[in-house]
Structures are given as structure tokens and as C-alpha cells.
Amino acid sequence: MAVKPQTDAVIIGMGWTGSILAKQLTDAGLNVVALERGPDRHTQPDFAYPRVVDAVEGSIHRKFLQPLNNETVTVRHNRSQAAVPMRRIGSFKPGTGVGGAGTHWSGCHFRAMPDDLRLRSHIEERFGLDLIPDDMLVQDYPFSWEEMEPHFDMFEKVCGTSGRAGVLNGQRREGGNPFEGSRSAEYPLGPNPDYLGSEMFTWAAREAGYNPYPIPASNASASYVNPYGCQMGPCNACGFCSDYGCLNYSKASPNVNILPVLRRRQGFELRANAQVLRINLSEDRSRATGVTYVDLETGEEHEQPAGLVLLCAYQLYNVHLMLLSGIGQPYDPVTGTGTVGRNYAYQNLNALKLHFDENTHHNTFIGIGGAGATIDDLNVGQLDMRDAGFIGGGILWARQPGSGPVRGIDPPPGAPSWGRGWKQGVRQGLLHSCEFEAQTGVMSYRDNYLSLDPTYRDAWGRPMLRMTFNWKPNEAAAGQWYVDKLRALIAPLNPLAVDGEAKAMDESWNTTSYQSTHNTGGAVMAATPEGGALNRYCQSWDVPNVFAPGANAFPQNHGYNPTGLVGALAYWTAEAITGQYLNDPGALVR
Amino acid sequence: MTHKPDPTPPLRDIRQTRLGRRGFLGSSAAALAGVAAFRPAHAQTPPATAEYTPEFFNAAQWAFVIAAADTLIPADEYGPSGSEAGVPVFLDRHMQTPYAQGSIWFREGPFDETLGRDFGYQGPLALADIVQTGIDQADAWCRDTRGAGFADLDEEARIAVLTALEKGEPEFARVSASRFFSDFWKELQVGYFADPSWGGNRDQAAWKGIGYPGVRADYSDWVTVREAYPLPPVDLAGNRG
């Protein structure tokens, strides 16, 4: 095996967190090698119009998503089952390639709510801890919202996030989210224009007494130059965000918003098509010595020695690499001991489709990925969890990220799914319908967890990551409660028909149909080594030169999309490394 | 259980080639090179169904595909029938792509189908094999139960057969009827609505029928307009529909 020259830091995965860490660490003078399992990607040629909007390549061949032929995860509902591989992309869509899932996301860019970050304390103060079921693991994040605010702010500035502040320096601002934590700055750009569904939602929400506001979206509403000098063009509403790279330099991505600077740096080396197999540890397992990876172009294995190892892969694969490499103690759901694999959670999305007559033109092929309208009137902080009958929070929203007939159009209820009448239904769904959704958090549970599969192995002979997950009564109740609220909100709009249901109370996790790529947890941040695999700086308690910022660090999932918090965590981690760790390498929390 | 690593699936475009199935099982280095390779413009108009000689399907399967495409997608005021739109041409070509040959799905064993529908297809076959095997099984079932192959049945009987397949009523040995129907019907829909360079959606007629503007992908001027979109579709080759 060839051994590469030592580097200060090796980064595994070149999505949002990897790009942010690489930028901040090279700023501090470190040499950084980034290893990305997928190909390198640039706006030209990879996202160039018109080929990038070929829906066959984007949404059928899934050109920008992880191919599952070499590695996938195994899935099951509970510990009594033998898990089976997720053979086709289904419930979620991990990315691959430079930019990661940050290339094919929609652009919804929320900060967490202050009470999301202190959920256990919030429940204790407002409702009493007896509200928490025995099998539910609710934890506080080991830092305050105020500590994270500068990092939320920085990530928005890097992304050119479009929105409207609701609370700025403690002052309420009209038209924004009145419940948000106090911001130190307005959004970099104003909100995107409203399509019809968003306008309808905003009107209906006001009628219902709520406070609708524009969804913060990292889809640029105007020309923008970020603090790194990277340029964005105004979004042209092309309708190809989710599954696609942006043809227009409008959707924030690592490729557009960070990498143009990084690629020019002396101290930065990017190796694409480099599949990391494991993190290597010293004999006493007290520190990482580097990583072993395969160059997929030659098939050769290499060792990359490094002073710091930064796990910046997709949430699931960060946990996978920790388990494979023996970093921290694997979680045991029977004894409750160990932390790696613990606190896996997900997102609970329930959609209603509103169908209107032929004079109501929703034109759903038009789309701005993250844009739309939402409310926080029912989210954590405002929610009486004891009265509502569940723990967590959630939001109602209208979004129109763009749809097309190859991607699939839902016809109105009662329309035939093939044969005579089918095309008319497709036309109705494409032109005269809109979608409102209820998105809720998912709590962590003792028996929803990640571990190594005993049977299935990937192309490199490694045990696959096994997901043991099912919906719990708490999440089903939350979905039903929010969908009831959404139905009430919709009523004054008088649609011809409303299609869709909340998940039933006994409905199990369907791994085959897409619902959300917001997988969280598995290697979470906690105030003590017993509570999670990482300390408050996303640093491994066990191997202090390993950091793992990402959605894997969420103790449970909130009602929002995770990317805003993921980016902030990466800046927070980078600050801890450059401001503290480099001066005194070792555990930052003792 | 370990199998040979197959770096990033080959994403090369076969629309302009006549490569057979074996042509895609080449080296991984060639596959990687294919990712970055320049792809020629979408200039060539694919042949109509009647002028096309299938490369993937045999004659009996081809007859099934044409008959099924026209039963599932009949002509009406919202667009042409499946075969008029070239959907069988799309399918024959698409079955030869790395995607249909299984390039992005995990296909190693063991194959355990006991967990049920929430866990999806757990068999060993690639999409192309599911479609081809499913057609053979369905056609044989038509001959056994109705005395004629699917293509020789009248429309009422075809609808009854497809309904039974969708519900999973016939017991097939290798691929369940419902799995076949689901994957097959999805493919036909993709073919009907995909860019015409893939073989279906001739003259963008399917897009025009449902009011889809194709690959225009620029609607800044229409986000806040509450009327029907006024422009006809455009395809990847730049043709106006």
C-alpha cells in the first residue's frame, strides 16, 4: 500500500461541512487533503444547461445521487428482524461527488429555534419531564442558541440566503418569523417572489390568525457576492432543484459558494473518486493516524497520514466509518451502553395536494427550491405539548420546488392511474394543483439506532451500516395533529379536492418511497461521554483528533430542514479547532 | 459475498450508439472516462415505432410492448398513444442502458424477500430482466388463460389483463405480477414524457398534451403571473414543439 505524505488534516467527504472545514482550516494555515468518494463536479460541464435538466438522467438515472451498487445501507423496522439492503434509492437520497447533497438539495435554509437546542430543559420547565415516554431519548444540545448565532449568520451570508428577519437585535420586524431567536443581521437577500400556492397559503394562514413568513431559501432572489467573493445569479425559477445541480449559480452549493476559493489554494488538495475505507488509529486507540482509501480510478489502496481526521461524509456514512474504525463504543440497545449508533432520528413529512379548477394556474413546473411560505405558530416554543399529546414541534408550509411528468405528477383523487382519463389527470395535477405540507421533528428512541450489519457486506468487504428504525406513536400523533391544523387552514381556499393523509397511527416506515433526506443522529453531541459520541465541539470523546460535524450530531431532529444547523455546526467546529485545538491539541472538554 | 468494486456507475450516453448489452460491462476506467466525455448534440430524431427494429426485445415481446403501451396510454385529446409517441422505441433503447442493466442498484445476495412491501424489491434481477421476464410471464399467462398472446386480445381483454397484473393476481414464478407491472408502467410513463432524444415523446406531443414546457427552465417572468403559461415546449436539441 502506498503511503502519501503526511498532511495536517484529512477531510472525508466534500459536501457542505467538508468545504467549510477546508476553508476555515486553510485560512488558519493548515495543509488539507480532501477525499471525496464521488467524482469532481463543476457548474460547467456537470450542471450546464440544457443537459442538466434532462429528467431521465437527473431523476431516473439519479446522476447526482449516490449509486448503490457498491455500498448501501440495510434496513429493518425492529431488532427481531434480519435487515435487508436498500437496493434502490427510496426513502432518502444521499448525494455523492464534490458538493455532496449540497448540490442536489432544494435550498430550505432554517436556523434551529432556540428551544430546539434545549428541548429537554424546555420540556422540564414548561410541561414536566414525566411527559417524556420511557423509551424516548430527549437531550439538550451542549451549547446555547446564542453561542451558535454568529455561525448561523455566517452560513447564511456564505449561502446568500433569501428571507425576511422577524426579530432583529431584539426588535420585532413585520413579515418575518416573530418566534425566531434574535438575529444579529437581516438575511443577505430579500425573499423570493411568491408563486400562487405560496400566496394562497399566506392569505389562509393570516385568516387563521397565524404569522406566515417567507421560507428562508438559499436560492438567490438577486445577484449576490458572498464574503468569499463567490458570485451568485438571481434564481430563474427553472424548477430543477431537488435531484439537480443548479444551472444558474443561484442555489447555494459548496461548488458555487466555497470551492471557487478553495481550489486556488496552495494548502488544499482535492482527490475525487477516493473512497475512504477506514480511519486508522494508534495502537492504544487514543488518536487517529490517518485514513486508508481506494483510488477508484486505479483500484489502488493508499494510506493518507494526517494530524486531524474530519468526518464530513453524509450523516449515515460518518456513523458507518466510526463503527468500522472502532472510534467510540458501539451502542447496545439492550443495555443502553455505548454511544456510536445511538439517537438515530429522521424527519416526518406529510403532504396534502390541493386540486383546483382549470382557471387556477399553479404551473407547478415553475419552481424555486427552498422558497414558499411557512408558519412557526405551532412549532416548539409555541406548542403546548401536553395538550397536543406529543413531544417535538413542526411547521406547515407551501413550497413549489418544481415538478415534471418524468419525476411523477399526482392526478386528482379518483382519476385513473393509467388508460383513458390518465393524461387528463396528469395535466390537472401539473397545472392546477399545489402542495402544502406538515413537517415535524422526530425524536430519538432506545431502539431506533444504527449498527453494523452481520450479513451484508459492501464492495470492499466491509459490513454495511444497518438502520433499525420505525415510526413511533409520538411521531404519528404529531403528523396527525399538524395535518388536522393544515386541513383547517386550507378550508377557506375551497379547493375542488384535497388528496393525502397523515401517516396512520400504526403505519410502518416505508423504505421505498421518497419522503425526506433529513436523516439525523447516530453520533451525537452531548454534555457527557455517556450522552453521545461527540462533545460540544463535535469532537470524539474517545479519539480527540477526530471531529464529526454534521446532522449525525443532532441528539434528535427538529421540525425544520437540517442544513442551516449543519452549516453552523461546521463553522462552530472549525472555530474550536483553529481557536483552541491547534494551540493545545487534545480533548477540548474534559 | 464480497464482489468486485465497480466505481461510479457508467453514465455514458447510449442514445447515439448501437451498443448491445455486453457493451456496457467494460472496464471501470472506461466508465469513469465516460462521465466526463463530451456528448454530441441531440440532433438525431429517433425513428418511429413502425420503422424501428428492436435490439433488446424479441418479436413476441415487442408486440406485447406495443399493445401494452397503447392500452395504458390510449390516444385522446391530451396526446397521442404510447406507440404513436415512440414509447416502445424508448423502452427498447432504455433497457440497454447501464441504469436498466442494474448499474445503480445493489444486487448482491443473500436475497431475502420475507420482510414485505416496505422494503422493496429484494430479488437479484436488474430492471431490464424484470421487464423482459415479466413480459414473457404475462404473455404466457394470456395464452394459458385466454388462448391468445396479449397483443392478439381486444382492448377490453387487455385492460382486464393489465388490471389483474397491477393487482398481482397471477402467480408468476420469477417476478411477481405487481412488481413487473409497477416497474414496466413507470418505464412507459418515463418514455412518454422524456425528452424526445430518448426515443419517445415524438415531436414533443406528450408535453404539448399536458401543457409542460419541456426544458425551458426559465420562468422568472411567470412566477407571479396567475395565467396559463403561453409558450410551447422546447426540447434538449432546441426544437420548438
Side-chain angles (χ1 to χ4, degrees), chain B residues 99-115:
Chain B
Y99 166 76
Q101 298 287 322
S103 69
I104 66 168
W105 292 353
F106 185 75
R107 290 173 56 221
E108 301 299 315
F111 300 102
D112 173 1
E113 300 195 276
T114 57
L115 281 192

Side-chain angles (χ1 to χ4, degrees), chain B residues 31-201:
Chain B
L32 273 167
V35 174
F38 175 73
R39 189 170 69 157
H42 302 257
Q44 227 173 311
T45 303
T49 304
E51 296 158 10
Y52 180 81
T53 306
E55 297 168 4
F56 178 78
F57 294 114
N58 65 31
Q61 293 161 350
W62 186 241
F64 181 102
V65 169
I66 292 170
D70 286 342
T71 311
L72 291 160
I73 310 175
D76 60 20
E77 62 183 296
Y78 298 101
S81 76
S83 71
E84 287 164 0
V87 171
V89 178
F90 164 86
L91 192 68
D92 189 70
R93 290 181 165 194
H94 201 228
M95 290 298 97
Q96 301 175 68
T97 58
Y99 166 76
Q101 298 287 322
S103 69
I104 66 168
W105 292 353
F106 185 75
R107 290 173 56 221
E108 301 299 315
F111 300 102
D112 173 1
E113 300 195 276
T114 57
L115 281 192
R117 296 176 70 90
D118 281 344
F119 297 88
Y121 177 67
Q122 288 292 331
L125 300 183
L127 175 64
D129 297 320
I130 290 173
V131 167
Q132 200 164 40
T133 304
I135 289 172
D136 288 345
Q137 291 175 151
D139 220 20
W141 184 67
C142 288
R143 284 191 296 273
D144 286 351
T145 58
R146 293 174 181 270
F150 181 81
D152 295 323
L153 301 175
D154 63 21
E155 191 188 13
E156 193 184 340
R158 288 179 187 174
I159 291 171
V161 167
L162 292 168
T163 303
L165 293 174
E166 184 176 26
K167 290 179 179 168
E169 285 172 4
E171 295 280 335
F172 291 160
R174 293 191 65 208
V175 175
S176 76
S178 57
R179 164 59 52 195
F180 160 66
F181 181 89
S182 163
D183 283 344
F184 180 63
W185 172 225
K186 173 69 181 168
E187 279 294 300
L188 297 190
Q189 292 175 76
V190 170
Y192 192 68
F193 288 123
D195 186 82
S197 61
W198 288 97
N201 191 16

Side-chain angles (χ1 to χ4, degrees), chain A residues 134-154:
Chain A
D134 284 345
D135 63 338
M136 188 190 287
L137 308 167
V138 180
Q139 296 173 206
D140 289 351
Y141 283 71
F143 51 75
S144 69
W145 192 90
E146 288 71 23
E147 284 179 290
M148 200 53 53
E149 203 282 336
H151 307 291
F152 284 132
D153 182 63
M154 180 62 186

